[in-house]
Amino acid sequence: GAGVSQSPSNKVTEKGKDVELRCDPISGHTALYWYRQSLGQGLEFLIYFQGNSAPDKSGLPSDRFSAERTGGSVSTLTIQRTQQEDSAVYLCASSLASESYNEQFFGPGTRLTVL
Amino acid sequence: GNSVTQMEGPVTLSEEAFLTINCTYTATGYPSLFWYVQYPGEGLQLLLKATKADDKGSNKGFEATYRKETTSFHLEKGSVQVSDSAVYFCALSDSNAGKSTFGDGTTLTVKP
């Protein structure tokens, strides 16, 4: 079946511009996660959605970052007024539910480059 | 808060060598533990997991045992292959929170 998809796969933008990154989770997965992976670094948690509950936004690095999930499916991560330090690979993952034993299925990521 | 510390890389081994990648964790609850792998040009995928103390996860010849007494989940493989070259991430998921905490990743290169 279809896995997690993300678009675009690559995004180059100028400093100060806004960008939107999209994630389509696996159908039926109620939990959705966004991470950021900087070069040579591990995964930095950004935000997580579980069903209709309020999202856990504790990982968002600044108020320039926001995310929404419409209809419990597709999610969009928006970065306003991008900065060069925002350059990274943004990964989306989904899982059946938020129980700790559930594995997360990752998308291929969006590589963001801010010039 | 939760944290994962894994062995720094890069690690370079010859084919058929024994592999250990150390991983230790700090968590307030009773986490599940995971190893994810990222092959070149591919996305992260689950390699193995263990959900309670003393459980052993295994897959593709890799093993890791959930050791609560030492808060560790070391990854091992008896004989690595060139195709095992990848970045390996140790992670935990706390039952009290939905998000997972990942280590910084260890890059493994296996040479023929």
Side-chain angles (χ1 to χ4, degrees):
Chain A
V4 177
S5 61
Q6 293 185 245
S7 60
S9 55
N10 280 284
K11 177 71 176 178
V12 179
T13 190
E14 293 180 349
K15 177 181 172 181
K17 301 285 189 181
D18 298 351
V19 295
E20 284 190 354
L21 312 180
R22 177 188 168 103
C23 172
D24 282 88
I26 293 173
S27 178
H29 281 193
T30 59
L32 186 148
Y33 312 77
W34 282 99
Y35 297 91
R36 179 167 70 176
Q37 185 177 23
S38 301
L39 186 63
Q41 301 297 311
L43 272 68
E44 175 188 5
F45 166 78
L46 296 177
I47 186 170
Y48 127 84
F49 299 87
Q50 169 53 37
N52 295 320
S53 302
D56 177 352
K57 304 179 181 180
S58 60
L60 295 178
S62 78
D63 58 8
R64 297 186 294 105
F65 289 71
S66 63
E68 62 177 21
R69 188 178 185 191
T70 54
S73 181
V74 171
S75 178
T76 302
L77 177 69
T78 301
I79 309 174
Q80 296 179 310
R81 305 181 303 283
T82 52
Q83 303 296 311
Q84 288 183 332
E85 61 262 29
D86 299 334
S87 296
V89 177
Y90 289 81
L91 295 171
C92 175
S94 69
S95 66
L96 273 172
S98 66
E99 280 83 0
S100 65
Y101 50 80
N102 284 314
E103 73 172 282
Q104 295 179 31
F105 294 80
F106 283 83
T110 294
R111 182 175 298 278
L112 174 65
T113 303
V114 182
L115 301 177
Chain B
N2 296 338
S3 67
V4 174
T5 302
Q6 65 179 99
M7 178 172 143
E8 288 187 20
V11 175
T12 303
L13 296 173
S14 297
E15 207 164 23
E16 298 183 4
F18 184 85
L19 169 71
T20 300
I21 301 178
N22 290 337
C23 172
T24 57
Y25 67 90
T26 301
T28 54
Y30 298 92
S32 294
L33 302 174
F34 304 82
W35 278 99
Y36 286 85
V37 60
Q38 188 173 30
Y39 297 106
E42 298 184 17
L44 269 82
Q45 58 187 277
L46 180 69
L47 179 60
L48 53 83
K49 71 177 184 182
T51 59
K52 61 182 187 295
D54 300 325
D55 269 2
K56 177 186 286 188
S58 62
N59 186 24
K60 299 182 181 180
F62 290 88
E63 293 183 339
T65 301
Y66 189 142
R67 300 287 188 198
K68 190 169 175 62
E69 63 276 14
T70 54
T71 62
S72 65
F73 193 55
H74 304 321
L75 182 69
E76 297 183 335
K77 186 173 185 181
S79 177
V80 293
Q81 305 300 312
V82 173
S83 58
D84 294 326
S85 298
V87 183
Y88 293 82
F89 293 89
C90 185
L92 71 83
S93 182
D94 192 328
S95 58
N96 295 321
K99 64 192 181 192
S100 293
T101 302
F102 284 78
D104 287 341
T106 301
T107 300
L108 170 66
T109 301
V110 180
K111 298 192 172 181

